[in-house]
Amino acid sequence: MDGHQEQPVIVSKIGIIGAGVSGIAAAKQMSHHNPIVFEASDSIGGVWRHCSYNSTKLQSHRRDYEFTDFPWPDRDNSEFPSHLDVLNYLNSYAHHFDVLKNIRFNSKVVQIRFVGGDRENSDGAGGVTAGGDYGTLLPGHPVWELAVQTNQSDTIQWYAFEMIVVCIGKYGDIGKMPSLGRNKGAEVFKGKVMHTLDYCKLDEEAASQLLRGKKVVVVGFKKSAIDLAMESALANQGPEGQTCTMVVRTLHWTVPHYWIWGLPFFLFYSTRASQFLHERPNQGFLKALLCLLLSPMRRGISKFIESYLLWKLPLEKYGLKPEHPFEEDYASCQMAIMPENFFSEADKGKIVFKRASKWWFWNGGIEFEDNTKLEADVVVLATGFDGKKKLKTILPEPFRSLLEYPSGIMPLYRGTIHPLIPNMAFVGYVESVSNLHSSELRSMWLSQLVDEKFKLPSVEKMLSHTLQEMEVMKRSTRFYKRHCISTYSINHSDEICEDMGWSTWRKKNWISELLSPYGSQDYEKED
């Protein structure tokens, strides 16, 4: 695939890779440029389509996960939508705004080539100039070429674009596999081993058959692992049913619902007043001082929430109380909603827990560093995804090496632009309370940037800003590599609004501004 098989086709100025939530948001916001969206599968939806179990539900209420100009049909329904509800909503959105006409399904991008450096541009368009300015995103000539494989055929078609928007995200496609050493891997185990990615592909009957009457081991303790253990318990009801063992390395706080001691959860983290308690990038001396003075209150809120969770859930009984404060899980977007009957299944002995930092396979199951052995028929690895690997397989050098700082985080200005990669944007790589909302707002910002409604600052300023964000995240949580902005999401949105020339205060009065939660509907487009 190194040589051109044929002359690249120019079909649009803008190419978008991926048709998940971020891809369709970007395609809709930049529809006036008729972008081409390449989607490797046969449908939109991304992780909602390909990485969801039968029991997977949205982790937030409908009105916290909706587009600004497309409310849910039953947005006041308090139940959490299923993954099928979310898929229906996304499909309705794509049909309503005629996004599907720009999507090429079963079209996988297998290679990206940089061609922008072939031309000399006195104004720096199409790249980063020696003076440190970032050029225009639509320079008038191809900057990137994409190799696209359609319908898994052997033929590769090349396309040329002035700009690329990468929306393949951090989840799905490539599972993170544990490194276990020689003669300790899955090959020595007589039973069945699969990653959650493989489990997601099973229909309800096949999933139930896989788990029913089997000794199941789930490695992990995040949302996907908890849901999977619950599905195993439900498939093993009755006296013939077997136990599901969760192998837990790192504990995280879970919440039963969005109320704490009778108070709505948003009061603690999702209002402008509550976010004053948390450090934010580029906050200035006075705000930094205020944040320092209010730090006991911030820690007190975390303790207050922990006290409720320890009262409501039997975390101590099962040895599941995390050693780190609740606020660190919130600051890294790792707070999960616990399924309603999870602990009643644990009480029945259908779900048990094993704390272990090191484990490996033996022919009959899993062995631990304390020399104990656990028999298993099925081992499911809920060990996460390797999103950077997806990007690194298609992005050429030297850009591949720029994807992460030593900190492990991809430096993205406004969560979208890598200061050292020209004419490329990334949507869906920074997490927040609602990833749909942040992807849509960044797509609006990107659309205006492409249309030159505002200019980016110098490369040095952008790099400095991303470094400050990383430092804030490092001080907020030990899990900072997830690149989550939840504790300063309103401030982040303020900066995006300022760039676009919008008012940063989006509510009707100052009481609402300070004490009511911010959501997608607050960011409807300004004329």
Side-chain angles (χ1 to χ4, degrees):
M1 271 193 305
D2 287 339
H4 282 66
Q5 295 205 352
E6 54 189 274
Q7 190 67 21
V9 178
I10 299 175
V11 283
S12 171
K13 291 171 177 288
I14 298 170
I16 298 173
I17 309 174
V21 170
S22 303
I24 60 174
K28 188 261 181 181
Q29 295 301 331
M30 293 194 276
S31 59
H32 55 296
H33 289 291
N34 278 316
I36 297 299
V37 185
F38 296 105
E39 169 54 46
S41 75
D42 60 359
S43 59
I44 68 166
V47 290
W48 287 109
R49 179 77 173 79
H50 308 292
C51 298
S52 297
Y53 311 153
N54 299 303
S55 63
T56 301
K57 290 189 173 184
L58 186 63
Q59 288 277 287
S60 53
H61 296 300
R62 286 166 166 78
R63 52 174 58 231
D64 294 328
Y65 196 85
E66 68 181 359
F67 293 103
T68 53
D69 49 5
F70 196 74
W72 279 81
D74 50 350
R75 70 191 302 261
D76 293 321
N77 185 339
S78 61
E79 286 184 16
F80 294 117
S82 70
H83 71 285
L84 293 175
D85 293 333
V86 176
L87 275 176
N88 287 337
Y89 173 71
L90 295 176
N91 273 298
S92 299
Y93 174 83
H95 277 101
H96 182 79
F97 292 108
D98 205 16
V99 172
L100 296 173
K101 69 176 186 209
N102 294 331
I103 303 176
R104 300 199 176 182
F105 292 107
N106 299 304
S107 299
K108 184 178 183 181
V109 175
V110 291
Q111 190 181 339
I112 302 177
R113 180 186 285 129
F114 179 67
V115 293
D118 297 346
R119 301 156 192 268
E120 286 191 21
N121 266 331
S122 57
D123 62 353
V128 181
T129 67
D133 289 328
Y134 200 99
T136 172
L137 289 173
L138 294 179
H141 61 77
V143 176
W144 297 100
E145 290 177 359
L146 303 187
V148 179
Q149 183 182 26
T150 307
N151 293 318
Q152 299 182 321
S153 68
D154 294 333
T155 318
I156 300 295
Q157 174 66 60
W158 285 86
Y159 295 86
F161 296 98
E162 295 176 33
M163 178 196 171
I164 297 295
V165 187
V166 181
C167 301
I168 53 178
K170 300 195 283 188
Y171 305 108
D173 286 5
I174 298 177
K176 238 185 217 164
M177 305 301 280
S179 176
L180 301 171
R182 202 169 163 204
N183 297 325
K184 291 183 176 181
E187 70 281 355
V188 303
F189 176 49
K190 288 188 302 191
K192 188 167 183 62
V193 181
M194 56 179 16
H195 192 274
T196 48
L197 269 176
D198 307 307
Y199 182 81
C200 291
K201 291 169 186 159
L202 304 176
D203 61 33
E204 200 161 350
E205 181 54 34
S208 188
Q209 267 186 342
L210 173 79
L211 304 172
R212 193 183 299 126
K214 306 284 190 359
K215 292 174 187 146
V216 178
V217 173
V218 176
V219 179
F221 193 66
K222 290 187 187 169
K223 179 61 183 164
S224 57
I226 290 168
D227 281 350
L228 211 150
M230 190 69 190
E231 289 200 10
S232 177
L234 294 175
N236 280 284
Q237 295 297 302
E240 301 298 311
Q242 295 282 355
T243 298
C244 172
T245 304
M246 297 190 78
V247 176
V248 185
R249 187 177 69 169
T250 306
L251 288 169
H252 293 287
W253 290 94
T254 54
V255 298
H257 44 64
Y258 286 118
W259 291 85
I260 305 292
W261 295 121
L263 296 170
F265 189 85
F266 70 74
L267 275 181
F268 305 109
Y269 290 106
S270 300
T271 65
R272 192 176 285 280
S274 65
Q275 294 210 338
F276 264 114
L277 302 176
H278 298 271
E279 191 181 353
R280 64 188 80 174
N282 306 289
Q283 62 184 359
F285 176 74
L286 286 175
K287 280 182 182 168
L289 184 63
L290 182 66
C291 193
L292 186 66
L293 293 171
L294 294 173
S295 59
M297 188 186 287
R298 188 181 70 239
R299 285 193 292 272
I301 286 170
S302 188
K303 289 281 182 205
F304 181 71
I305 294 171
E306 289 163 37
S307 72
Y308 177 77
L309 299 178
L310 293 171
W311 171 77
K312 185 75 176 171
L313 303 173
L315 301 179
E316 288 175 307
K317 173 184 174 182
Y318 289 109
L320 298 176
K321 181 195 171 192
E323 290 164 15
H324 56 269
F326 173 82
E327 65 177 339
E328 288 198 40
D329 274 345
Y330 188 82
S332 56
C333 296
Q334 296 201 95
M335 183 188 81
I337 293 275
M338 187 62 83
E340 198 174 339
N341 297 317
F342 183 83
F343 283 111
S344 60
E345 293 301 324
D347 291 340
K348 289 192 284 189
K350 294 298 180 188
I351 301 173
V352 297
F353 310 96
K354 169 73 179 176
R355 295 290 312 277
S357 54
K358 283 189 181 172
W359 62 272
W360 51 90
F361 286 100
W362 63 288
N363 63 5
I366 280 182
E367 188 174 348
F368 303 99
E369 56 187 338
D370 61 3
N371 295 323
T372 57
K373 286 185 175 180
L374 180 64
E375 288 188 3
D377 300 311
V378 179
V379 176
V380 187
L381 304 171
T383 45
F385 305 95
D386 197 341
K388 291 220 182 82
K389 201 169 184 180
K390 284 193 286 184
L391 262 179
K392 286 179 175 177
T393 54
I394 56 174
L395 205 61
E397 290 291 5
F399 307 108
R400 189 185 304 154
S401 305
L402 298 171
L403 287 182
E404 53 188 77
Y405 275 12
S407 64
I409 301 173
M410 183 155 56
L412 293 176
Y413 180 72
R414 299 287 189 255
T416 310
I417 294 290
H418 192 305
L420 298 174
I421 304 181
N423 299 74
M424 185 175 280
F426 300 83
V427 182
Y429 283 83
V430 178
E431 293 183 69
S432 69
V433 181
S434 170
N435 292 332
L436 180 147
H437 162 61
S438 45
S439 289
E440 184 188 27
L441 192 59
R442 290 194 189 105
S443 296
M444 291 175 177
W445 178 88
L446 186 60
S447 176
Q448 289 209 15
L449 177 64
V450 166
D451 294 340
E452 300 193 333
K453 301 276 178 67
F454 62 89
K455 290 272 189 197
L456 289 171
S458 69
V459 169
E460 288 86 350
K461 280 186 178 164
M462 287 195 283
L463 284 172
S464 168
H465 192 283
T466 59
L467 277 170
Q468 285 188 48
E469 274 197 11
M470 286 175 206
E471 289 305 314
V472 167
M473 283 184 285
K474 277 185 182 178
R475 288 192 288 269
S476 303
T477 174
R478 68 198 68 189
F479 310 111
Y480 62 87
K481 288 187 181 180
R482 287 179 64 90
H483 204 165
C484 167
I485 60 164
S486 61
T487 54
Y488 59 90
S489 58
I490 296 174
N491 179 69
H492 185 85
S493 298
D494 286 350
E495 292 177 332
I496 286 177
C497 288
E498 278 176 7
D499 288 347
M500 296 192 290
W502 294 7
S503 165
T504 54
W505 282 43
R506 315 291 300 169
K507 305 282 190 183
K508 291 183 173 67
N509 57 62
W510 67 270
I511 296 175
S512 307
E513 189 61 59
L514 288 174
L515 300 176
S516 63
Y518 257 92
S520 300
Q521 300 303 313
D522 295 306
Y523 293 94
E524 283 189 76
K525 264 187 180 171
E526 289 187 7
D527 296 326

